[in-house]
Amino acid sequence: MVSNSKLTILIVGRLSGPKNQVILNILRQIPAILQSFPGARFQVVGGPVTDEHRRLERNQPAIHFEGHQPNLKVFYQKATVVIGAGRVALEAMKLKKPVIAIGERTYVGPLRVANIEKAKATNFGDCFETESFDWEQLTKDILYLLRDSKARVQVAQTGYELLKAEYDMERVYPQMNGLYEKVMLDHNLSQIHELPILMYHQVLDKQPALAKFNLHVLAADLEKQLQFLKDHGFETIVFEDLLTKRIPKKPIILTFDDGYENNYRFLFPLLKKHRMKAVVYILADRKHKTNFWDKPLGEAEHALLKPAQILEMQKSGYVEFGSHTFNHTRLTLIKKAEQEKQIAGSKKVLETFLKKTVHSFAYPYGVFDPEIKKITQAAGYTFGVAVSHGPTEFQGDLMEIKRVHMFPQTSTFDFFKKTSGFYHRYRALLGR
Ligand SMILES: [Zn+2]
């Protein structure tokens, strides 16, 4: 029997938008619960903690706002009951904790055989056509679980078995971090009509003396292209958007390979000015300061982004970073163990540096084979971007996403053709 003073109800979720409203409503049930369990604690993990939350905390000593916590596991482990939706529910279930599922849209309740289908269909409360909450029932359910340790074990067991049978993330979705992301990605993929992905490298202010491979665009031309996209109703997204939110009607992804310092100097100001987003592929080994790999081929040397510049760009919200291996290696020329290190190892190193999940990987030189694609997926990337290979439709193969190569001489007319998803199909028809 757990003593009263140790009972902890853990609530996990964002403290903004609709989820914040749901959490505030849950906290309104506290007085009724304290009548039966005066020592119960309500821990809320998630952010941002605002003055309103701090005021609640001062007025109700049973509430503890813990803010955003990178290591949720310790909180789950100490909790008597976990309240949450989506990924929170799954993580708690995995640790055999009794879960009361409630999300942005609906109340599901403690996981039982009777409501498992609803839990699955709504992503544990986050997706439902109409909003429906039963706060009285929530209070009853919390009291019931606090009172009855056998019921807690049973609910935890039901959740654990559901997870094992249907949601084993390592087994079913090797490339996914959470079910929520999988659900959102599926939704977005089903909605995408066209999703052009453009590939750039350097952004320069003036024509370079030496540009053997023509891997640059002039900032003035790039700005015209950005304006063109805006004028034609395109909205730039990054890969994370595909996993976390409903994407706009006419999405487009701008990618910049290698992570040149000129991206900070000439691309970043344009993104901020036009409020547009881009994905930049960087090397995970920060000791490389230039595009040393191009030098033997006779290409000019250019500085790569410095760590502080990368972090500043990420913090702005306009730039997402992806991995481009440790040292721009040609993956088809190295052994499997080395491929794994370059692909999975670079992800880990970048995630530690960026403090963020790295969702996409760009194959250097656009070279890969089926085995390399498998390694990329197994490493946990959701997207592998190629150059000229890949199905004509974005949804065709997420580990082989075709991009449109942008050259310095790309004219407005070419640009129009290239931003149309039909471009790939048109070229495929012509056999080019
Ligand atoms: Zn590259």
Side-chain angles (χ1 to χ4, degrees):
M1 178 73 196
V2 187
S3 82
N4 259 0
S5 62
K6 292 249 179 73
L7 293 173
T8 299
I9 295 97
L10 175 67
I11 304 159
V12 187
R14 263 191 326 277
L15 292 179
S16 60
K19 190 138 279 174
N20 184 45
Q21 294 311 315
V22 170
I23 290 175
L24 293 177
N25 273 318
I26 296 172
L27 297 176
R28 284 192 189 104
Q29 317 308 315
I30 289 180
I33 293 159
L34 292 179
Q35 276 181 11
S36 305
F37 298 94
R41 285 158 39 86
F42 293 79
Q43 253 184 332
V44 183
V45 172
V49 179
T50 63
D51 290 347
E52 186 192 9
H53 300 115
R54 289 296 173 217
R55 238 187 338 268
L56 270 174
E57 198 173 42
R58 276 196 300 276
N59 294 336
Q60 177 50 271
I63 301 178
H64 303 268
F65 286 101
E66 308 289 349
H68 178 73
Q69 293 287 341
N71 184 6
L72 268 166
K73 203 170 168 181
V74 287
F75 287 90
Y76 290 132
Q77 274 161 345
K78 285 187 195 147
T80 317
V81 173
V82 178
I83 301 181
R87 185 170 173 172
V88 173
L90 290 166
E91 284 169 349
M93 283 152 66
K94 198 171 178 180
L95 296 169
K96 290 200 183 178
K97 285 290 169 180
V99 172
I100 295 182
I102 179 170
E104 283 182 30
R105 305 288 290 173
T106 192
Y107 181 64
V108 179
L111 291 179
R112 296 187 177 97
V113 175
N115 63 14
I116 268 189
E117 287 308 316
K118 183 177 180 189
K120 276 158 56 182
T122 61
N123 196 16
F124 303 89
D126 265 345
C127 319
F128 202 54
E129 57 273 25
T130 53
E131 270 190 28
S132 82
F133 295 101
D134 187 342
W135 304 112
E136 211 175 303
Q137 189 59 44
L138 168 71
T139 306
K140 278 187 203 158
D141 288 335
I142 294 174
L143 286 171
Y144 160 70
L145 288 183
L146 292 183
R147 214 171 269 139
D148 189 342
S149 63
K150 275 198 193 117
R152 289 202 294 273
V153 171
Q154 205 171 15
V155 168
Q157 193 61 33
T158 306
Y160 185 71
E161 275 162 22
L162 170 70
L163 184 91
K164 246 181 33 188
E166 304 200 33
Y167 290 115
D168 191 333
M169 289 178 251
E170 278 98 309
R171 192 167 56 81
V172 185
Y173 304 122
Q175 78 281 31
M176 290 294 156
N177 289 306
L179 179 72
Y180 177 75
E181 294 181 348
K182 169 73 185 149
V183 169
M184 190 48 84
L185 177 63
D186 281 351
H187 170 82
N188 282 329
L189 292 182
S190 73
Q191 300 297 307
I192 291 173
H193 177 53
E194 305 279 2
L195 177 47
I197 320 273
L198 307 188
M199 180 180 73
Y200 297 89
H201 287 76
Q202 311 205 36
V203 184
L204 303 175
D205 58 340
K206 51 179 187 286
Q207 217 47 260
L210 171 68
K212 196 174 171 196
F213 300 123
N214 269 328
L215 294 175
H216 66 272
V217 62
L218 293 182
D221 291 336
L222 179 62
E223 184 160 23
K224 278 184 209 150
Q225 296 173 354
L226 297 182
Q227 191 60 52
F228 174 94
L229 294 178
K230 274 174 132 177
D231 293 345
H232 288 78
F234 282 102
E235 284 180 57
T236 51
I237 61 167
V238 294
F239 287 105
E240 189 180 64
D241 293 336
L242 286 160
L243 302 171
T244 55
K245 54 178 78 153
R246 279 160 199 264
I247 56 164
K249 270 211 180 78
K250 261 182 104 173
I252 188 165
I253 299 181
L254 313 179
T255 68
F256 293 78
D257 282 16
D258 304 340
Y260 291 99
E261 190 174 33
N262 52 49
N263 287 184
Y264 177 83
R265 287 163 58 203
F266 304 117
L267 164 66
F268 188 36
L270 290 179
L271 295 176
K272 287 191 284 192
K273 179 177 166 191
H274 293 278
R275 297 173 180 274
M276 293 170 92
K277 297 181 182 181
V279 179
V280 177
Y281 289 101
I282 54 176
L283 302 184
D285 189 342
R286 300 260 70 73
K287 83 166 181 280
H288 299 306
K289 310 285 186 222
T290 68
N291 54 331
F292 65 91
W293 61 91
D294 280 335
K295 222 181 156 191
L297 305 170
E299 180 63 278
E301 232 176 325
H302 291 273
L304 299 179
L305 288 163
K306 295 186 170 58
Q309 295 169 330
I310 294 171
L311 294 175
E312 184 188 335
M313 289 166 90
Q314 174 176 266
K315 201 176 162 204
S316 75
Y318 291 113
V319 182
E320 173 183 282
F321 288 95
S323 171
H324 203 35
T325 72
F326 280 107
N327 55 5
H328 210 278
T329 192
R330 203 175 274 271
L331 290 166
T332 45
L333 299 183
I334 55 177
K335 292 210 172 73
K336 189 177 176 194
E338 183 62 20
Q339 291 171 339
E340 282 171 345
K341 208 182 113 203
Q342 290 282 351
I343 297 169
S346 66
K347 184 176 196 285
K348 283 212 182 78
V349 167
L350 283 177
E351 288 178 343
T352 305
F353 167 58
L354 298 167
K355 299 191 177 69
K356 214 168 183 306
T357 304
V358 172
H359 299 291
S360 68
F361 178 78
Y363 307 104
Y365 308 99
V367 299
F368 55 90
D369 58 31
E371 202 49 45
I372 291 169
K373 278 167 61 181
K374 267 188 219 152
I375 293 171
T376 307
Q377 180 156 28
Y381 293 100
T382 311
F383 308 95
V385 304
V387 180
S388 46
H389 295 91
T392 49
E393 310 219 310
F394 178 83
Q395 301 93 318
D397 185 348
L398 296 185
M399 286 299 132
E400 191 174 334
I401 294 170
K402 195 181 225 171
R403 291 187 288 173
V404 180
H405 200 154
M406 303 304 290
F407 292 102
Q409 64 275 20
T410 300
S411 69
T412 314
F413 179 65
D414 286 341
F415 188 71
F416 172 74
K417 281 194 301 183
K418 289 186 172 199
T419 49
S420 160
F422 293 108
Y423 176 69
H424 287 311
R425 263 174 264 150
Y426 167 72
R427 274 173 56 108
L429 266 176
L430 295 180
R432 285 198 262 163

